Amino acid sequence: MLTTTALPLFRLICFYISGILLAIYYPTDLFTTLLLLLTLGILYWMAALYTRTTTWLNPIGLLLIFLVGYSNLLLQTAEQSKAMRWMKVPQQVEGYTVCIEKVYTPLSCKALMIDIKDSSGWHNSRGSIQLYFSKKSGYKPNKGDKLLIHGNPDRILLSNHIQLVNDNSAFYNSFTHRHILKQIDQDFNLLTTEVQNSNWRAMITQWCSERLHKQLQDNQAIALISTLLWGAKETLDSGLQKAYADTGTIHVLAISGLHVGMLYMLLKAIFKYICRYIGFFILPDLCTLLLLWLYSWLCHFAPPILRATIMITMARIGFLIGRGSNRYNGLFVSAFVLLLWDPSLLFNCAFQLSYLATIGILYLQPSLHRLITLEQYFLRKIWTATTLSIAAQVSTLPLILYYFKQFPLYFIIANWLVVPAIFTILMVSLVFLVSSYCPIINTLVGFTLEKLVFTTNTLVYWLAKWPMGTLSCCFIDKRTVCLLYIILLSIWLFFQNKNLIYLIITSLCTTLYSRS
């Protein structure tokens, strides 16, 4: 079994996360914290010079990591609180600029405030607002558009099912303001669009979107492919999303490590074939990693994407330099890097589900896979896919019940069928884009792609209609989530150490019997 001694980075991330959690529930003065951090850093440096060792796994080093996490969150909270002070104190806003982050319906979107204007002039701001556009305005919001909005937004109450961590936290997870806009050039002005910006990311996604719309006729096929390639869910049918959620395959629609793994397998095979006659053996890995990081950038460095990309990068670098790699250390390094950059990611749903699912796959799946030994290759692959699904679902079960209030009961069968289909669609989509300027090949690939998407969506709708397919009405709170994880961990430890537990229980029974 793995121990913390074998995984030194486990202690690092534990102390860092502990500092973040303490800063959430017991915040203190930022200046005092930074002064204490500076003092402890000097003591650590002096101790390292005295002992001539640079290890951070001593009490002073671990306490320093703890304070880094604590002060990092306090710094971010102070910065966000300063930028969002207009949300806490009612004031008359004459206008503000926003950047559209997410489109929910053709006339509704989530936007991030950039600047606000009051009686004293323009000021930097931060905070999310929900915008509604009238059909008469003739404007449909697009992700990345920047708007100048006139007037004061309306204040609304927070959603009942979404609560803040505490009153001092600056991490708002729901809207506090909304604005209904009726006329363009009167209520609001369009400043720039994502395509008009000199943004390479926008140009790439726009080019891909144009290729899809030019050749494909099925709008749902275009929407699904856009979702799989760069996470654009704006035009994806809500009924289809619900069907994927009810069958336990919604994870294939979210840009995650699954997509990175699929892309890595394809790129590795392609570059290995292309460079097979080149003596520079590290060239395929370098090209593959470069394109993986390009894909991460294209997906706005989403936490699940970064997690998988960092893990793959560390594993390949360790292999190339001849030192090997530990998958757990790669996981902990990626978590530490992401939380160091943005400690509020610890409370992000995608971050939590991604890392817990990965831990379950790395730790639970090998033990589950060893329960049954199969000789046939096809059956062995099915059993591997089954254990992967079970491990990921078990490790994220409490969070799924907490965030989504339901649990799919046919997730194993659905993942057997949908994940290979999605992998095929993703690969064919890349071939379709590459062959854009070869009309005959592109037409054939496009026809095949549309049929694949139609068949997959039909299959998902059919699975979603199965009786008793979803366990719903599962309303649990944070304490219940912690309790469920304690129960799952206890059950797992029991099966891992059942011989030891049996000996302890037998010894206790024998002792009690002898005394009686």
Side-chain angles (χ1 to χ4, degrees):
M1 291 188 55
L2 293 170
T3 63
T4 57
T5 304
L7 299 174
L9 291 173
F10 177 76
R11 279 175 279 179
L12 171 71
I13 195 66
C14 283
F15 274 83
Y16 186 79
I17 290 178
S18 300
I20 294 176
L21 293 176
L22 187 66
I24 281 291
Y25 294 102
Y26 300 100
T28 187
D29 181 62
L30 180 59
F31 176 77
T32 304
T33 304
L34 293 177
L35 183 62
L36 180 61
L37 180 63
L38 178 62
T39 304
L40 193 63
I42 294 174
L43 289 176
Y44 175 77
W45 177 70
M46 294 175 62
L49 289 179
Y50 179 77
T51 59
R52 295 184 179 181
T53 58
T54 57
T55 178
W56 42 263
L57 290 177
N58 53 53
I60 298 179
L62 292 176
L63 183 59
L64 185 63
I65 293 297
F66 176 84
L67 282 178
V68 168
Y70 187 88
S71 59
N72 194 10
L73 188 78
L74 288 182
L75 281 170
Q76 188 180 41
T77 304
E79 181 182 353
Q80 292 183 355
S81 297
K82 182 180 179 181
M84 293 191 297
R85 63 185 181 274
W86 69 274
M87 300 176 67
K88 300 178 181 179
V89 180
Q91 58 181 312
Q92 186 66 28
V93 176
E94 298 178 4
Y96 54 95
T97 59
V98 298
C99 179
I100 296 177
E101 286 189 322
K102 189 173 183 179
V103 179
Y104 296 114
T105 66
L107 298 175
S108 174
C109 68
K110 170 188 175 184
L112 176 66
M113 281 193 169
I114 303 174
D115 300 289
I116 63 168
K117 183 182 180 182
D118 56 16
S119 57
S120 60
W122 286 95
H123 309 279
N124 293 331
S125 71
R126 186 183 179 89
S128 296
I129 184 171
Q130 191 165 16
L131 302 177
Y132 298 93
F133 297 91
S134 172
K135 291 182 179 180
K136 297 180 181 179
S137 67
Y139 170 74
K140 291 185 178 180
N142 297 302
K143 185 177 180 180
D145 287 0
K146 291 185 178 180
L147 307 177
L148 171 62
I149 300 177
H150 310 285
N152 194 16
D154 300 322
R155 190 176 182 86
I156 58 176
L157 296 176
L158 292 174
S159 302
N160 294 329
H161 66 280
I162 302 178
Q163 301 177 356
L164 301 181
V165 179
N166 62 17
D167 294 336
N168 296 322
S169 175
F171 305 115
Y172 290 87
N173 295 321
S174 59
F175 302 110
T176 58
H177 291 76
R178 68 180 178 185
H179 207 152
I180 301 175
L181 306 171
K182 297 180 180 179
Q183 294 292 335
I184 193 171
D185 297 329
Q186 179 178 344
D187 295 332
F188 68 99
N189 298 97
L190 179 62
L191 298 180
T192 58
T193 64
E194 187 180 28
V195 180
Q196 292 170 341
N197 291 333
S198 56
N199 187 332
W200 284 99
R201 181 191 294 115
M203 292 172 62
I204 293 173
T205 55
Q206 178 65 16
W207 179 85
C208 295
S209 180
E210 289 177 354
R211 295 295 96 191
L212 293 173
H213 282 86
K214 183 178 180 180
Q215 187 64 42
L216 303 182
Q217 304 298 324
D218 188 356
N219 291 329
Q220 282 307 306
I222 298 173
L224 182 64
I225 295 168
S226 301
T227 301
L228 295 178
L229 290 179
W230 59 86
K233 294 183 180 179
E234 291 82 8
T235 57
L236 195 63
D237 183 66
S238 58
L240 181 62
Q241 294 187 51
K242 185 179 185 303
Y244 275 92
D246 291 343
T247 55
T249 56
I250 189 66
H251 60 92
V252 302
L253 300 182
I255 296 295
S256 63
L258 176 65
H259 300 75
V260 176
M262 292 177 178
L263 186 61
Y264 172 73
M265 291 169 53
L266 176 66
L267 293 176
K268 183 180 178 181
I270 292 174
F271 285 113
K272 189 175 181 180
Y273 177 79
I274 294 175
C275 304
R276 66 188 185 279
Y277 299 117
I278 300 177
F280 195 49
F281 73 98
I282 67 172
L283 185 61
D285 286 302
L286 292 178
C287 295
T288 302
L289 293 179
L290 179 62
L291 288 180
L292 281 184
W293 281 102
L294 178 63
Y295 180 68
S296 300
W297 168 77
L298 188 65
C299 298
H300 300 270
F301 292 113
I305 295 289
L306 272 181
R307 188 261 311 160
T309 305
I310 292 175
M311 289 182 66
I312 292 175
T313 302
M314 290 187 61
R316 297 312 302 168
I317 291 177
F319 172 78
L320 292 175
I321 64 177
R323 298 189 59 180
S325 64
N326 187 302
R327 294 178 298 174
Y328 293 96
N329 283 334
L331 181 68
F332 297 142
V333 165
S334 65
F336 181 73
V337 170
L338 291 177
L339 292 176
L340 190 64
W341 177 259
D342 185 4
S344 65
L345 283 175
L346 184 63
F347 313 102
N348 181 275
C349 173
F351 180 89
Q352 295 171 1
L353 292 174
S354 175
Y355 275 89
L356 284 174
T358 305
I359 290 174
I361 290 172
L362 294 180
Y363 192 70
L364 296 179
Q365 192 270 342
S367 299
L368 294 175
H369 191 270
R370 287 193 295 267
L371 293 176
I372 299 177
T373 303
L374 299 171
E375 298 296 335
Q376 296 184 3
Y377 177 82
F378 182 71
L379 294 179
R380 190 164 63 248
K381 289 297 181 181
I382 293 179
W383 176 237
T384 301
T386 302
T387 54
L388 285 172
S389 297
I390 294 175
Q393 290 288 346
V394 168
S395 59
T396 57
L397 174 61
L399 281 182
I400 291 174
L401 296 178
Y402 175 71
Y403 284 116
F404 305 109
K405 316 301 180 187
Q406 65 178 26
F407 183 76
L409 300 179
Y410 300 131
F411 67 91
I412 295 178
I413 300 175
N415 279 277
W416 280 347
L417 303 174
V418 175
V419 172
I422 292 296
F423 176 75
T424 305
I425 291 173
L426 187 61
M427 299 301 104
V428 177
S429 300
L430 294 176
V431 175
F432 173 80
L433 293 176
V434 171
S435 63
S436 296
Y437 297 102
C438 300
I440 298 177
I441 298 177
N442 192 245
T443 301
L444 293 175
V445 175
F447 175 80
T448 305
L449 188 57
E450 283 188 314
K451 296 303 179 183
L452 281 173
V453 173
F454 175 78
T455 304
T456 303
N457 289 342
T458 303
L459 177 63
V460 171
Y461 277 122
W462 176 65
L463 291 172
K465 294 180 181 178
W466 284 18
M468 301 178 62
T470 305
L471 178 64
S472 57
C473 300
C474 302
F475 297 97
I476 64 175
D477 55 13
K478 296 177 182 177
R479 294 181 180 178
T480 309
V481 171
C482 295
L483 180 60
L484 286 175
Y485 272 114
I486 292 174
I487 294 173
L488 290 175
L489 183 60
S490 302
I491 293 173
W492 178 253
L493 291 177
F494 171 78
F495 283 104
Q496 288 290 307
N497 304 279
K498 56 184 179 181
N499 293 331
L500 178 61
I501 295 175
Y502 174 76
L503 291 176
I504 293 174
I505 295 175
T506 304
S507 301
L508 289 174
C509 293
T510 304
T511 303
L512 293 174
Y513 179 76
S514 61
R515 289 183 178 180
S516 62

